[in-house]
Amino acid sequence: VSSTTSRAAAKEGYGIRLYNAVVSFNSGDYGFLVDYTFPDSPAMKAGVRRGDIVCTINGSPINQDNYATLFNSIQTNTIASLRLGLMRQVVGEGESAEYSVALDKGLYAETPLLYCDVIDVEEIDMRLGYVVYTSFDRDYDDVLHAALRSLAERGFDHLVLDLRNNIGGSVDSVVELVSGLLGQQYEMEVVCELRRNPRNQRSAAPTVCRLKNVGYSLDIDSISIICSENTASAAELTIVGLRGLGIPVRLIGTQTEGKNCGMDVARRQIGSTMLEYAPITFMCVNGKGFGDYGDGLLPDEGMTVTEDNILGKKDKYYPMPHSYWGDTDNDIALRVLVAALGGGSEQSTTRTTVDCREL
């Protein structure tokens, strides 16, 4: 959790973020899992999506000798050109399990808002508002508000906030998000408090963060949040902050990281060098004074996806991506949630799944 903002700017590249693992094929070659692509990036425009597996790059297979260099070059956009051979794990109607794309570099924004839509789940007759958010970045608060306004206008039955890849960020952005989720009756309510050491010579007083009127509201009375061991800091503060306001929060996934503290960032110019200091300076508690989540937050009963759950199934590789955002058939976290919302019965799967671990 940080009390400062980042500096967003358009980036030139492909817009692919790879999962931090490799797939090993029977041939001995490797594959890279696409964790996600950024909206309006060359990769997304070309149809590359979460859960796809990169098998070849510029005609060459990925192997033990080159995988580290290729992985880093894609992540950092330093490779000059990209021709990707890919395999799709979840194949829909009219799609092929294997495809290829040629990508040119283009400008895109590394927005933390990766997905926002209303999903009609016919099996349980519900409309789910589904938002995927990967960090709390003040420079994208306006993007977040625009997305939430669109959900408010379209209407939905239940809100799902996917924070499985959210490592945290700005406390101020937590206030912005929660203010947009709740009604005006919560205005000026305390969502969190940042408690500092009384001997802190710079600022010993706690910072009380109150909700505000952002001009709209989703007016939710409950929420489901998807989490993992990557869910940390400001993302965890969002969960405990909502609970401190009396909002029922259902957690689905695995135990979160457990970072209930944060930093007041300071900068100092020495000659031509700008130094940035970020020592831990405060502890985060919610409006009820709860801050004891240093060991992480646990999913609700039956909602842990790596153990036998409401579906009687598990995915020990979670949160490794096996499908695209919003796939209620093949994303285990969403499947567990849909089963819970439907009273505990598993729904039928309508798409073909290729298990990358068996390739």
Side-chain angles (χ1 to χ4, degrees), residues 274-317:
M274 176 65 74
L275 300 179
E276 184 172 271
Y277 303 86
I280 292 175
T281 51
F282 57 80
M283 177 179 179
C284 306
V285 302
N286 66 13
K288 293 182 178 179
F290 172 75
D292 187 17
Y293 54 98
D295 292 329
L297 299 166
L298 292 171
D300 289 13
E301 184 176 356
M303 299 289 109
T304 300
V305 300
T306 53
E307 302 172 0
D308 287 345
N309 47 56
I310 195 171
L311 296 177
K313 298 183 178 181
K314 59 185 177 182
D315 178 4
K316 66 179 180 179
Y317 294 100

Side-chain angles (χ1 to χ4, degrees), residues 45-319:
K45 291 177 180 177
V48 181
R49 70 187 188 195
R50 172 177 169 82
D52 290 351
I53 305 170
V54 178
C55 303
T56 64
I57 299 175
N58 293 339
S60 299
I62 304 165
N63 55 45
Q64 186 174 3
D65 295 328
N66 64 17
Y67 81 92
T69 299
L70 291 174
F71 186 95
N72 291 328
S73 65
I74 293 176
Q75 293 281 64
T76 58
N77 296 298
T78 54
I79 195 166
S81 62
L82 275 184
R83 286 185 294 109
L84 302 179
L86 300 105
M87 177 171 289
R88 178 147 289 170
Q89 293 190 67
V90 177
V91 181
E93 185 176 352
E95 293 182 331
S96 172
E98 297 182 8
Y99 72 102
S100 61
V101 296
L103 301 178
D104 294 321
K105 288 185 179 181
L107 294 178
Y108 66 95
E110 292 192 338
T111 172
L113 184 72
L114 297 183
Y115 187 93
C116 179
D117 203 356
V118 176
I119 304 171
D120 289 299
V121 187
E122 295 180 0
E123 295 88 348
I124 58 174
D125 192 27
M126 290 187 70
R127 288 166 53 83
L128 301 181
Y130 181 48
V131 179
V132 179
Y133 204 50
T134 60
S135 69
F136 288 81
D137 188 333
R138 288 304 309 275
D139 288 316
Y140 291 97
D141 285 348
D142 57 340
V143 175
L144 175 63
H145 284 310
L148 296 183
R149 283 191 186 94
S150 71
L151 289 183
E153 293 169 357
R154 294 176 63 183
F156 55 87
D157 300 309
H158 184 70
L159 183 66
V160 183
L161 182 59
D162 195 329
L163 301 180
R164 78 182 81 186
N165 286 334
N166 195 308
I167 60 173
S170 167
V171 174
D172 292 335
S173 285
V174 172
V175 175
E176 296 289 331
L177 170 62
V178 178
S179 295
L181 298 182
L182 304 183
Q184 293 184 9
Q185 66 269 30
Y186 289 90
E187 187 175 349
M188 296 306 295
E189 291 286 335
V190 176
V191 65
C192 62
E193 182 179 315
L194 315 181
R195 294 181 178 175
R196 296 175 175 82
N197 189 321
R199 299 176 66 181
N200 186 326
Q201 296 182 5
R202 181 182 178 190
S203 177
T207 299
V208 179
C209 303
R210 300 180 183 274
L211 299 181
K212 58 185 182 179
N213 185 349
V214 293
Y216 72 96
S217 171
L218 271 64
D219 219 6
I220 64 168
D221 54 15
S222 66
I223 189 172
S224 294
I225 295 181
I226 297 175
C227 61
S228 75
E229 62 268 23
N230 299 326
T231 305
S233 197
E236 293 171 300
L237 184 58
T238 299
I239 297 166
V240 300
L242 284 165
R243 286 176 169 172
L245 291 162
I247 304 299
V249 178
R250 177 192 283 110
L251 281 187
I252 310 99
T254 52
Q255 186 170 349
T256 65
E257 180 178 300
K259 184 174 181 288
N260 59 348
C261 55
M263 303 83 72
D264 291 298
V265 179
R267 294 179 177 85
R268 182 179 179 186
Q269 182 84 31
I270 300 180
S272 60
T273 303
M274 176 65 74
L275 300 179
E276 184 172 271
Y277 303 86
I280 292 175
T281 51
F282 57 80
M283 177 179 179
C284 306
V285 302
N286 66 13
K288 293 182 178 179
F290 172 75
D292 187 17
Y293 54 98
D295 292 329
L297 299 166
L298 292 171
D300 289 13
E301 184 176 356
M303 299 289 109
T304 300
V305 300
T306 53
E307 302 172 0
D308 287 345
N309 47 56
I310 195 171
L311 296 177
K313 298 183 178 181
K314 59 185 177 182
D315 178 4
K316 66 179 180 179
Y317 294 100
Y318 177 86

